[in-house]
Amino acid sequence: MSTPTPERDSGWISGGVVDAEDARLATGVFAAPGASPVQARSGVRPATGDPGRVQATATVSGKVTVAPFQGVIQGTRASATGAYLVTLGQQKTLDVLGTNPADPSNPRNDLVVARQRDAQYGDAGTGMTVELVKGTAAATPTDPQVTGDFIPLARIRVAKNASSVAAPDIDDLRPWTSAVGGILRVWGEGGRPTYPYAGMYIHRGDTNHLEWYDSSGNWRAVNNDTGWAPLTFPAGWTVYNSEAPAVRRVGAVAYLRGAMRTGVAQSANPTVLMNLPAAFRPLVRHHWYVVLGGTRTGIEGIVDTDGNVNLYPQTTALPAEQIVYINTTWLVGQ
């Protein structure tokens, strides 16, 4: 290591001595951050195709294939190891059952990993390999322990007496990474980064929504769309022109729509038309002008903080058969 002080040699300087750690630290600044300010997030780099995916062979056999990929493996065996930028340049085939046949009595879990070895930290050699890590057969099998610096790609659940590996036997474990400041792809809530930073964005595969991490330590949805949720209404009201009442939330904005007809005259102070679920309620009262069909007049509408949608005819009750249009928007929780 060329620099014994906390200050590391910058990358690509003239006349200096930049060792392997310095070089990895320099290139690591372009990757999404990890557990500390000088670490990167380990994972597969998203790209065209399906990088790093582990699949059964086209003709089902005891082998699996691993798709080409590039990725990041953060070094963990020194305080400033830096991030290894790794590549599997072409598809690789791994023999799961040829060398390690299935147990006759119990299932086991094997792992496919990309592991980085480095002689600087005591390994026998230096290089990245995509390899199979055999598990131990048991009535309730667990994943094998993997040492050193690596990223998991897949779990292969080997049934007892298995002679082949099919698609349902493979669990995709790929973590994803991104460029610094980029949107990070994750499978779901459990895949959110362990060490997020304020302003970080992720894309959740399970909901197809963007989320961002705020300065208060919360993940917030970006334009999270609930779709239209139908609403119930009191007896004495009917839906007009097939425009059933419904509410929808997109991000922090709630939308209310519908057309209703009174069956009997409604009292003046007030009429509670429906109640909204908690996820759609405003923090303060929302007032709007409700259009009455067939007239040139309107009445006051209020969405209350308890979710009640109220109509205020003021001094004149709504007559029977009156058409009421309930279309408005407001901010939720603000």
Side-chain angles (χ1 to χ4, degrees):
M1 186 174 69
S2 60
T3 310
T5 63
E7 295 82 5
R8 303 301 303 234
D9 285 330
S10 304
W12 310 288
I13 56 175
S14 176
V17 178
V18 180
D19 68 8
E21 284 188 347
D22 295 328
R24 289 194 297 270
L25 289 167
T27 53
V29 302
F30 301 111
S36 80
V38 294
Q39 289 187 343
R41 175 183 168 87
S42 293
V44 174
R45 186 191 71 166
T48 185
D50 207 353
R53 184 175 180 184
V54 178
Q55 295 180 283
T57 52
T59 299
V60 175
S61 67
K63 300 177 181 181
V64 296
T65 61
V66 186
F69 71 92
Q70 289 190 304
V72 176
I73 299 178
Q74 171 60 47
T76 60
R77 293 180 286 175
S79 60
T81 306
Y84 298 90
L85 308 183
V86 299
T87 298
L88 178 67
Q90 60 186 28
Q91 179 177 285
K92 182 172 184 177
T93 300
L94 296 175
D95 191 348
V96 178
L97 299 177
T99 305
N100 302 297
D103 186 82
S105 303
N106 289 303
R108 75 170 192 258
N109 290 349
D110 293 349
L111 291 179
V112 177
V113 303
R115 175 154 44 184
Q116 177 67 53
R117 292 179 173 84
D118 194 331
Q120 182 176 353
Y121 306 112
D123 294 329
T126 297
M128 189 278 292
T129 56
V130 173
E131 59 190 73
L132 183 78
V133 181
K134 177 181 174 292
T136 301
T140 304
T142 58
D143 293 345
Q145 295 294 313
V146 185
T147 59
D149 299 325
F150 72 97
I151 52 175
L153 299 177
R155 174 189 301 111
I156 302 175
R157 290 178 283 106
V158 179
K160 65 179 182 179
N161 286 320
S163 59
S164 62
V165 178
D169 303 323
I170 303 173
D171 299 329
D172 195 347
L173 301 180
R174 288 172 295 174
W176 299 97
T177 192
S178 67
V180 62
I183 297 174
L184 181 67
R185 176 184 177 188
V186 300
W187 295 117
E189 182 176 343
R192 287 170 173 164
T194 307
Y195 304 99
Y197 58 87
M200 187 176 195
Y201 281 82
I202 63 173
H203 176 258
R204 285 181 51 170
D206 58 339
T207 61
N208 200 30
H209 293 153
L210 286 176
E211 294 181 351
W212 67 282
Y213 192 74
D214 67 17
S215 57
S216 300
N218 300 306
W219 286 103
R220 297 185 177 274
V222 179
N223 293 332
N224 188 9
D225 191 344
T226 64
W228 290 105
L231 297 168
T232 58
F233 46 87
W237 288 84
T238 57
V239 175
Y240 174 71
N241 197 33
S242 300
E243 298 178 37
V247 66
R248 181 175 191 165
R249 178 175 176 175
V250 181
V253 180
Y255 300 82
L256 180 65
R257 73 179 185 188
M260 306 294 295
R261 188 199 299 269
T262 62
V264 296
Q266 302 294 317
S267 62
N269 290 309
T271 294
V272 179
L273 190 56
M274 58 197 64
N275 185 267
L276 305 176
F280 302 93
R281 297 173 184 175
L283 188 61
V284 296
R285 273 185 159 191
H286 168 71
H287 301 252
W288 91 101
Y289 185 78
V290 180
V291 176
L292 298 179
T295 73
R296 295 187 177 182
T297 61
I299 58 175
E300 182 182 11
I302 293 179
V303 180
D304 242 325
T305 56
D306 62 2
N308 281 342
V309 178
N310 303 295
L311 303 180
Y312 284 84
Q314 305 300 342
T315 58
T316 304
L318 289 176
E321 303 304 315
Q322 176 63 60
I323 299 169
V324 177
Y325 298 101
I326 50 168
N327 297 287
T328 186
T329 64
W330 63 89
L331 291 175
V332 177
Q334 299 188 36

